[in-house]
Amino acid sequence: MRFTDRVALVTGAGSGIGRATALRLAAEGAKLALVDRNEEGLAETVALLPAGTEAWQRAMDVSDEAVVAACVADVVAHFGRLDVLCNNAGITGGPTSYAIATEQDGEIWQQVMAVNLYGPMYFTKYAARQMQKQNGGAIVNTASVAGIRSGAGGNAYSASKAGLINFTMTSACDLGQWNIRVNAVCPGLIETGMTKPVFDYARANAKEHKLGSRCELRRYGRPEEVAAAIAFLASDDASYITGQALPVDGGNTASLNMPGMKV
Ligand code: NAP
C-alpha cells in the first residue's frame, strides 16, 4: 500500500499500460485522476478499479495546453493535492509513419510530437507547480525502447520518445531541488491497444511464436509488467532515483541481437 493517501494522475488510462498502471496504483491505495481521449475506455478502466477507490476522470486531449492546465487545476481542487503524475498517453502516427527518412510527413511528425512530447511537457509544467508547493512528487514518463534504438517504431515516434527520455533528464534536474523525482520507463513490445494490429497480424498468419522472440526473455511483455515498474518509480522505494530511463523490455536493448550469432 505504497500510495495510501496519495493522489496519482494517469494519462492514457483508458487502455493498455495506462489502465494497468491505474489498477496497480489503486491496488496500492492511491486516489486516482484518470485521463484519456477515449471516453469509453476510461469508463471501462473505472469499472475495473477495486471497490472503494476514489477516482476522478476526464475525457480530453493531452496535447492541448489550456485543457491540460484546467485538468490539473480541477484535480487539485477535487483532491487538494497531487503526488504522482504518469505521462503515459501516446500514439504511433499510424501505418504511414513507418516510411523511410526520405518519405517523412511533417504533419504526422506534428501530431506525434504533440501527443508524445508536448503532452508530457504540459502536464509536467502544471503538475510540478503543485508538487513544488507540496515540496515533493514523482513523475513517471512512458517512453519506449524506440527512444533508445532504431527499429521499434516510425521515425517520428522514435524521435518523440528519445525527446521524452531527454525531457525526463532535464526536468529531473530542474525539479530535484523541490524533491520532485522524474523518471521514465522504456517498454519493449507489450500487448495493448497500440500493438493490436501487430498481434492480430501475427496470430492470423501463424506467426505468434515470433512475437517478442528476439528479446532475451524470448517473449513479449504484459501491461502489468510495465505498470509494476511505473509504480516502483512513482513510490518511495525509488526515493533516490531521478532522471533515469528504465527499459522494461525483456532484455531487448541489452543485446545487439545479431541474427545468426545465436544458437
Ligand atoms: P494504448 O493501448 O493505445 O493506450 C494509449 C491510450 O492513450 C489510448 O486509450 C489512447 O486513446 C490514449 N491517447 C492517445 N492520444 C491521446 C491524446 N491526445 N489525449 C489523451 N489520450 C490519448 O497503448 P499503450 O501501448 O498502452 O501505450 C501507452 C504508452 O506506452 C504510450 O506512450 C506508448 O507509446 C508506450 N509504449 C507502448 C509500447 C507497446 O508495445 N505497447 C511499447 C513502448 C512504449 P486512443 O485509443 O483513442 O488512441
Side-chain angles (χ1 to χ4, degrees):
M1 299 298 281
R2 293 177 292 186
F3 299 99
T4 302
D5 294 331
R6 296 195 186 177
V7 177
L9 192 162
V10 182
T11 73
S15 179
I17 295 167
R19 172 175 292 169
T21 301
L23 296 180
R24 175 67 188 245
L25 297 178
E28 293 202 46
K31 298 173 189 177
L32 294 176
L34 303 178
V35 164
D36 202 292
R37 69 179 176 190
N38 178 347
E39 199 166 2
E40 241 174 70
L42 211 45
E44 281 172 28
T45 301
V46 171
L48 291 168
L49 292 172
T53 305
E54 272 186 60
W56 176 102
Q57 69 200 79
R58 175 158 299 169
M60 57 170 270
D61 181 352
V62 300
S63 67
D64 183 326
E65 180 167 6
V67 168
V68 171
C71 169
V72 173
D74 290 349
V75 169
V76 173
H78 183 79
F79 288 111
R81 58 186 299 114
L82 180 54
D83 303 286
V84 171
L85 167 65
C86 300
N87 279 314
N88 170 78
I91 57 171
T92 61
T96 57
S97 71
Y98 292 88
I100 68 165
T102 51
E103 305 300 324
Q104 292 298 302
D105 179 335
E107 252 178 52
I108 288 179
W109 274 68
Q110 283 182 355
Q111 288 164 17
V112 171
M113 293 296 163
V115 179
N116 294 5
L117 191 51
Y118 281 57
M121 180 270 287
Y122 293 141
F123 264 107
T124 299
K125 174 176 173 178
Y126 294 100
R129 288 180 183 180
Q130 175 61 26
M131 291 173 180
Q132 283 174 320
K133 290 181 197 157
Q134 298 171 199
N135 199 37
I139 298 173
V140 185
N141 298 319
T142 308
S144 171
V145 293
I148 304 174
R149 299 253 193 281
S150 149
N155 290 14
Y157 181 81
S158 297
S160 74
K161 296 300 188 179
L164 185 55
I165 291 170
N166 204 278
F167 181 60
T168 299
M169 293 185 238
T170 52
S171 49
C173 295
D174 292 342
L175 300 171
Q177 60 191 305
W178 289 280
N179 189 34
I180 301 168
R181 297 181 301 100
V182 190
N183 291 291
V185 291
C186 299
L189 179 64
I190 313 293
E191 185 169 17
T192 67
M194 178 177 278
T195 51
K196 190 172 184 301
V198 177
F199 281 81
D200 284 351
Y201 173 84
R203 285 174 182 142
N205 293 279
K207 290 184 175 172
E208 190 169 0
H209 61 286
K210 291 203 165 182
L211 291 165
S213 64
R214 295 188 72 182
C215 295
E216 299 312 310
L217 294 180
R218 306 292 201 276
R219 65 173 178 86
Y220 57 84
R222 292 178 289 109
E224 295 75 18
E225 293 177 302
V226 184
I230 292 173
F232 164 66
L233 290 171
S235 78
D236 290 347
D237 284 341
S239 55
Y240 202 51
I241 302 176
T242 195
Q244 303 304 310
L246 175 67
V248 185
D249 67 348
N252 206 4
T253 48
S255 167
L256 286 174
N257 202 353
M258 295 170 78
M261 294 289 282
K262 283 185 180 163
V263 285

